[in-house]
Amino acid sequence: IGEFIVVDDALVSEADVRTNFFVRASDVGESRAQSIVRNLCEMNPDVHGQAVVKAPADFADLSNVSLVIACAQPDKTVRALGERCWSANIPMITASNAGFIAEIRSAVREHTIVESHGKVWPDLRVMAPFAELRAYADSFDLGALDSTDLAH
């Protein structure tokens, strides 16, 4: 990722400090979008981050966006944003959690993947083994092996 945008109109709260890895206690009362961008950019100075202090539901400029990730957003916001992303053919991932239970959804239009490698790999199965190989293979009683020995 070379660039990212965080869209959020909330201020960092005490609850955010306990649940959001990308904010610090010293960020309480500041713009959550700006705090997250600042702390994410510290991890990789080659990445450019932009904070948009606006409600995610009101963010309309998807012109330079290649992926949308919506975290812990109300269903109404996710649906509206999802419709805009679908119309613009932009993949969208949503994530939310409650304690140890999490939900991740993706919405992406169908796209074709073409296998461009024309090389055909040889079939290494031995369909007609020579006599010595057959005798060697038959010398093992596979039915007598436990699952661990059979797997190895």
Side-chain angles (χ1 to χ4, degrees):
I1 295 176
E3 295 182 45
F4 67 92
I5 302 170
V6 175
V7 181
D8 195 342
D9 62 345
L11 300 177
V12 176
S13 68
E14 291 291 336
D16 292 326
V17 174
R18 290 189 301 274
T19 60
N20 190 331
F21 181 78
F22 299 109
V23 296
R24 299 178 180 145
S26 60
D27 295 334
V28 172
E30 294 182 17
S31 161
R32 189 164 55 192
Q34 291 172 341
S35 296
I36 290 172
V37 167
R38 182 180 58 250
N39 294 326
L40 279 171
C41 287
E42 282 182 7
M43 295 173 67
N44 185 346
D46 294 330
V47 173
H48 174 70
Q50 177 185 352
V52 176
V53 182
K54 174 185 284 195
D58 299 334
F59 185 70
D61 184 17
L62 298 177
S63 60
N64 293 321
V65 175
S66 59
L67 172 68
V68 171
I69 302 172
C71 300
Q73 293 298 310
D75 220 26
K76 182 179 178 182
T77 302
V78 170
R79 288 179 192 273
L81 188 56
E83 288 175 8
R84 292 201 326 261
C85 288
W86 190 265
S87 296
N89 198 22
I90 299 169
M92 180 172 141
I93 298 171
T94 63
S96 61
N97 76 304
F100 289 114
I101 298 173
E103 175 183 62
I104 297 176
R105 293 181 178 177
S106 64
V108 61
R109 288 186 175 227
E110 181 178 346
H111 62 280
T112 304
I113 298 173
V114 177
E115 176 59 56
S116 62
H117 300 78
K119 183 173 177 104
V120 177
W121 296 100
D123 186 350
L124 299 177
R125 293 178 291 179
V126 180
M127 303 308 266
F130 50 93
E132 292 84 359
L133 180 58
R134 163 90 52 207
Y136 179 72
D138 289 342
S139 71
F140 296 97
D141 183 10
L142 299 179
L145 297 176
D146 66 17
S147 60
T148 302
D149 289 335
L150 187 60
H152 293 90

